[in-house]
Amino acid sequence: MDGTGPANSITDVPGLRVGHAQRVGEGWLTGCTVVLAPGHGAVGGVDVRGGGPGTRETDLLDPRNLVERVQAVLLTGGSSFGLAAADGVMRRLAAMGRGFPVGATVVPIVPAAVVYDLGRGGAEQAWPDAELGAAAHDTAVGAGGTDVAQGCVGAGTGTKVGGLKGGVGTASAVLPGGATLGALAVVNAAGSAVDLRTGELLGARHLLADEVPGRPGPDARDHTGRAGDRSLADQGPVPEGRRDRARRPGPGARPGAHDGRRRHRVHAGDR
């Protein structure tokens, strides 16, 4: 691998654009994210996992089926209710003449997957709809469509990981042959995001230098003496009720038992 792309973002892949839309306040804490393919669409594939996936149009991506290209992909909060946001994306694309040709018209192909954030803003019926999906599309086609905001935006607005906030993240890598690989993830995971021995955020040491404002560079050392790591103080407070456990290993803990290498597998389509 030859390093990251210029923006370390999925939009380093030529032609891809990303748009977020969210609603916060008055009982709302949710949103959606659209990844737009280039004008002719992009070949799509899918791997749906999990015990309760919430998806739309993913069956079209089976290679045995007729449709080969997608015009956009939608990630949305709101559980299965949020799949309605894809309607707004489809309408915008249809108005532009982009989609699978059917007779005299086109049917835009917009596979979608959800995360569960119901009730996190307080209201029982607060989820993305067609209007919010259209807004995310408009952001993607606008001037900021290649500058991907990360964190508590779009489909990551109401997400969480254990007792901490979740969010949207993106990255890219340039392969030896020159091809660019891009990724965008919405993280809404169960379990702990914190090393219970040190209080360090799991995966923090794998961030790039200066990727987070205020993070020390690769030659800096934190309270554990590890180069390039971030201490608990750099990351903010440990959630209430976890502070002591975050700093002290449990009975019989082995040195290095929580060395930050554990991974939480997160799958799109979390009903």
Side-chain angles (χ1 to χ4, degrees):
M1 188 172 69
D2 291 348
T4 68
N8 193 24
S9 164
I10 191 173
T11 54
D12 288 331
V13 177
L16 294 186
R17 303 181 69 87
V18 174
H20 301 302
Q22 56 276 328
R23 184 172 172 184
V24 179
E26 299 181 346
W28 289 74
L29 189 64
T30 191
C32 58
T33 297
V34 172
V35 180
L36 284 182
H40 61 283
V43 176
V46 68
D47 180 10
V48 179
R49 305 188 191 184
T55 60
R56 168 171 163 162
E57 296 278 59
T58 54
D59 284 349
L60 285 174
L61 304 183
D62 188 315
R64 296 170 297 181
N65 291 334
L66 180 63
V67 173
E68 294 182 346
R69 295 181 176 271
V70 303
Q71 279 67 55
V73 173
L74 172 75
L75 302 176
T76 180
S79 188
S80 292
F81 296 106
L83 292 172
D87 292 342
V89 182
M90 290 183 66
R91 292 170 187 168
R92 287 288 199 265
L93 290 167
M96 299 167 62
R98 297 181 57 190
F100 185 80
V102 181
T105 188
V106 295
V107 177
I109 307 301
V110 184
V114 307
V115 295
Y116 183 91
D117 60 9
L118 295 179
R120 292 184 182 163
E124 294 183 0
Q125 297 185 351
W127 49 73
D129 56 12
E131 182 178 356
L132 206 63
H137 170 275
D138 294 346
T139 300
V141 299
T146 57
D147 185 12
V148 185
Q150 300 185 68
C152 299
V153 295
T157 301
T159 59
K160 64 180 184 177
V161 181
L164 305 178
K165 291 289 290 182
V168 174
T170 187
S172 68
V174 179
L175 304 181
T180 299
L181 174 68
L184 183 143
V186 179
V187 184
N188 190 49
S192 175
V194 176
D195 185 324
L196 300 183
R197 182 176 63 89
T198 66
E200 182 186 34
L201 288 173
L202 295 173
R205 69 194 63 177
H206 303 295
L207 296 174
L208 300 177
D210 302 324
E211 195 167 33
V212 176
R215 178 177 184 265
D219 295 329
R221 293 181 179 271
D222 70 358
H223 67 297
T224 67
R226 288 191 293 260
D229 288 350
R230 299 174 63 230
S231 69
L232 181 65
D234 296 323
Q235 301 162 16
V238 175
E240 189 65 31
R242 298 186 181 183
R243 194 165 286 114
D244 291 338
R245 287 184 290 136
R247 289 177 170 82
R248 184 174 65 244
R254 293 176 289 105
H258 302 286
D259 64 354
R261 295 187 181 125
R262 179 174 55 182
R263 300 290 189 273
H264 292 285
R265 179 167 295 186
V266 181
H267 305 294
D270 180 8
R271 187 182 300 274

